[in-house]
Amino acid sequence: MSNAREKKRAKKMRNQPASVTLSSDCGPCPSGIQHHNGGSRSFQTPKQADLHPDSSQEFQQQRHQHQSPGPSYRKEQYFSKGQSRGRGGWRGGHQNVSQEMPKYVTASTFAQARAAEINAMLKAVTQKSSNSLVFQTLPRHMRRRAMSHNIKRLPRRLREIARKEAEKAVHQKKEHSKNKCRKARRRHVNLVVEFNRRQKKNIWLETHIWHAKRFHMVKKWGYCLGDRPTTKSYRACYRAMTKHCLLQDLSYYCCLELNGKEEELLKVLARMCSIDTGPTFAAVPCLSGRLQGSLVLYRADRYPEDLLGPITFIWKPKDGSGITSETRQLWIWTHPSLKQDILTELKTVFQCSEPVKTCSPEPIVTLLQEEKQTDVAMIVGKKRKREDNEGEQAVPLKKIIGDGTRVPLQSYCWTSQTTGVVISDLTMEILRYRLIGPLSHCVLTEALKTASIQTEMADAETELNNWWVENCKNSEKVSLHQRQEAIFELLQGISSPSEIAAGTILGLTVGDPRVNLPKKRSKAMPNPEKYQDNEKVRQLLLEGVPLECAHSFIWDQTICKNVTENKISEQDLNHMRGELLVPGSQLDLGPCESKIPILLVQQPGKVAGEDRPGWGSGWDIYLPKGWGMAFWIPFVYRGARVGGLQEGMKHSEYKRSPHIPNDFPDCPAGIQFAKELENVLLEKFKRRPPAKRANYVKLGTLAPFLCPWGQLTRDWEVRNKAQEESVVTSSAESKSSATERQVPCEPKPGLIIEDSQGDMMEEMAKIQNLCKEDGAATSSGFFVLRNRKLLKQLSARCRPTCGKGQRVRPASKLGQKEMTEDALLSIFKCYPRVLVWVSLSLLRKGSPELHAMICIPTQEDFLQLNKDQLFCGPQEPKHSDIFKHKILKLKERKKKKNNGNALESGASDALEAKAVEEPKELILGLWPDPLPDVTSHCSRILLGFVTQGDFSLAAGCGEALGFVNLTGLLHMLSSQPTDKKGLVLLRTPASLQYRFARLNIEV
C-alpha cells in the first residue's frame, strides 16, 4: 500500500479491537497451513501434517496453478504492511495463503471467539470517539435546538446515552441566583444593597451612577472614577474650558481638618514648608480666611528633600475677637495618592497617637435577610409598604454615605496630649465640584438661589432648618447673609473668574437647587445689559470680597449633619410636583425648603508666564455630603459640559502646571505612579509581535517607558566632576591668578563677598549652608528645584517666549539681574542633583509624546538652522542591536531544553550557557538593566525627559512639559550663542528625528 492508503486504513481501523484483526504475516510454515478458527487453533495440527505430507504439497501446487479470481479487498487483508499489488499479479507478498474451507469446526472455541468479537463491536459502537454531544452527531436535517436541553426529543436509541451525558458535572446547568426574576433584581431596594456591596473595595462618588452611564470608568486610588466620556468630546471639552463652562467632580480629593491654637498650628506647620517656595500657612491673606492658599509640603525639617506633595488649604475666618491664641480651624485638601503620607507626617509632628473616634457604620440588610423579612410580612398578611410600621423593617437601609465609605473600625480622628491639636479625616464628608470657564458665573447664578430668611419652624416635630431659624433671629447674621447674596448676584456681571483675586472665598447659604430646575436643558449666557457700567461690579473687582463674607456654616459639622439627614427625598419631591394645579409650574416648598451651606472658592487658572493669563480659571463649590446629585443635575441642565480625569489632565497641561501625581517625581506617590505606568506600557509592548513594535535599541532609546531621573542626575554629576578636574589640571600654572577672581565654592559664615551681585551671592551662601546641613550636597537622591528666586533667575537666563519663536525683552529691561559665572558655580556646588520644571514649544511641526527626550543641540545644528529657516532638526544615526544575537541564542537554548536535547550537548554548550546566562530577562527591542550612561548614549547630549506632551489646542502648536537637569541646563545656557538661548532638541522614543523647541521656565 502507498503511504496515503496506509494512513487511510489506519484511520479506519483505529477503533477496532486487536483480538479480531486478521494476521498479516500468514505464510507457509514448516508445520503446514494454519486456518484461524477462533484465533488460537489451526484446523490442521502438526500431527496431521506429518501424516499426510503429500496431500499438503498437492494442494499448494493446485492452488498456484488455479488462482481463484476474487475481490481485491479480500486479498489485501491477508497481506502485511508494505506489500503492494502490481500489474499482472501480486508483488512482494506471501502467495501460499490457503482459502480452503475448514473440514470441521469446534463449537465451543468458535462460539467463544465470536462472543469476544461481538463484545468488542458493541463497545466500539457505544463508546464515543469525539467530543461532540449526542444530539450533535445526528444528521443536520434531524438536528433541533430543543434536543440540546430536552432528552425526550432525541431518538429512542440515543436517549440513554444523552441521559448519561447530562448527569456529568460539565453539562449541568448553573444554579440560578436567589432573585430569579430580573424585575426583582432591578427593584430599588435590592439595587441599593447590591451597590453598597460593590463599594466595599472601590468607593463610589455620589455621581457614580450618572458617570457610569456616560463615561469610561477606571479604578484609581481606592475610588471608581470617570476617566473620559464615551462620546467624541475632546475638542468640545476644550471649547467649554475656553468659552463656556466645564464641570468636574473632585469629591475624591481628601480633606484633613486641624483644630487647635493658632500659635501651635503655625509653629509645627512651619517645619513642613519653606518661604522659598512661596506663601506658607502664615501668609496674612490666607491666615485671615479671605483667600485659599497653595503650597508644597515636605517632611519636617527636610526641605528641599523628602517631598510629600502639593496641597491647598483654607483657614476658617476669625470670629473678630483678634486674639491669636483662639482655637482655629484649618482644612488641608490633598490628592488621594498623597493623603496617607501627609496624614502620617501630620500625626508625627503634632504627636497625635490617641484616636478619638472610630468608624462603626450601621449594618446593611442583606438580600437574604430582606427575603426572610418579606416572607414574614406576607405571612402576617400585610403588604410591605414604606408607610407600614411593620413593613419598614423589611425595607433595607438607604445608601450609606460619609462614614459608610470608611473602613470599619478605622479611626478618623486623633488628638495630641501635648499641643491639644485634633486632626480629623473629613474625606467624603465634604463634596467638591469644579467649574472651569469664563461663564462659570452664569452657571452658578442661574442654578443656585440664595436661601430666604426664615424665623419660624415649618414643623415642630422635625429638626428641618432649625439651625437656620436660630441664625435668622440674629440681626447681624441676617445682615451678613444679605451682603453675601448681593455679592453673589454681582458675579453675573463679571466676564471671567480670572478678574477676581486668586483664591477668593465666598460663603453662602442657598436653597434646594432642585426647585429651580428648568424644564429642559439650556445654556446659561451672560446678560451684559443688566450689569453694564455697574459701579458695584467695579468696586468688587478692585477691593475683592470682604473678609466677613467668607464665613460659611459649612465649617460646623453639626449643621452639615442636620442638612444631610433632613434632605427631602426625590420621591417626595416628585410627589409634590405631581400635585401641582398647573403641571410644570414652579414648585414652592415654603418653610419646608432645605437650606444648604456652601463655600465658593475661586481657582486662578494659568498664573505663570505671560501668554494667556487667567486661562482655565473657575470656581470650586464645597457642599455637605448627601447633596451631590441635587447640585450636579442643575449644573448640567444649565449647559455645563462634564469632564473626567483625562480632561483634568489636559486642563493642567494647557495651564503648563504640574499634574498630580504624574509630575512630582520626587515624592512617593510620583515614584509609585511611574512604576505602575512602566508596567502598563511594558505589558502593552510585550503583547505585540516583534515585527509590529518599535526596536528601541536600534532607535537609541534607553528608557521608553519611564524617566530614569536618578541616573540622569548621577550621570550629569559625574560629567560635571570630570569637567572640573580637567579645568583644574589645565589651569594649574595660573592657579594663583584664578583664585583671586573666583568666588569660593564654600564661603564661610562671616565672609562678605564684594561683587555687583552681592545680594545674590549672599543668598547662594545661605542656600549652600542649608543644603550642607540637610545633606543635599552629598545625598544620593534627587529633588526638584522650587526656590522661586532661583527659578526667576533661570527664567531670565532662558529668555522665555510668548509665542512660537518670539523672544521677549531681555532680563535687564525687565528689572531682573542676570546671573554671572560666579553665581553659576555656586549653584553647581549647592545643587548637584536637581531637576527643573520646564515647558517647551516646538518651533515648527511636530507633536511631542510621553517620555520624549530633551537634548542639547550642537553648533552644527545652529549653523544648519541659520542656513535653512525651514530646517526642523537633525536625525539620530541608527544604532545596532547588540542583544539580538544573544536573544536568538537564548531562544535556541530554550528550544533544545524543551525538546530534551540539552543533555546531548557537552562542554561547548557550557561555554555558550555562560554567554547566555546574563540576558535571561532580555526583551527584543529593549535595553536591559543596568542602563549605560544616558547623557552620552546618543549623538546629542541628553538633558531631560517629557512628562506631558501633545498638540496644544490653546497654543496652536506642539507643546510639552517635563524636567531637565539643572547642571545640564546651566552648561547648555553658558555655551549657547546669545540669539539661540533656550533652544533645545526634542525626540520622541519611537523616532530618529530631532525637532527644535523653545525651552521656557515659567514662575
Side-chain angles (χ1 to χ4, degrees), residues 273-340:
C273 56
S274 175
I275 192 68
D276 297 335
T277 61
T280 61
F281 290 99
V284 176
C286 302
L287 186 60
S288 63
R290 184 179 180 181
L291 300 180
Q292 174 187 254
S294 61
L295 51 82
V296 285
L297 286 182
Y298 294 84
R299 296 196 183 275
D301 305 324
R302 291 293 298 165
Y303 172 80
E305 290 188 323
D306 292 340
L307 175 74
L308 292 176
I311 56 106
T312 58
F313 63 93
I314 301 175
W315 287 95
K316 182 182 178 181
K318 296 182 180 180
D319 297 334
S321 59
I323 303 175
T324 58
S325 61
E326 64 176 336
T327 302
R328 296 296 303 273
Q329 201 170 346
L330 173 66
W331 280 355
I332 296 178
W333 288 87
T334 177
H335 194 269
S337 62
L338 312 172
K339 171 192 169 183
Q340 199 58 42

Side-chain angles (χ1 to χ4, degrees), residues 103-118:
K103 295 182 179 180
Y104 59 91
V105 175
T106 306
S108 59
T109 308
F110 184 81
Q112 187 177 1
R114 301 291 80 73
E117 292 177 358
I118 293 171

Side-chain angles (χ1 to χ4, degrees), residues 56 115 158 177 235 339 494 592 675 719 815 919 941:
S56 176
L158 300 176
S177 60
R235 290 178 178 270
K339 171 192 169 183
I494 301 175
C592 296
K675 291 180 180 178
R719 193 183 188 93
I941 299 176

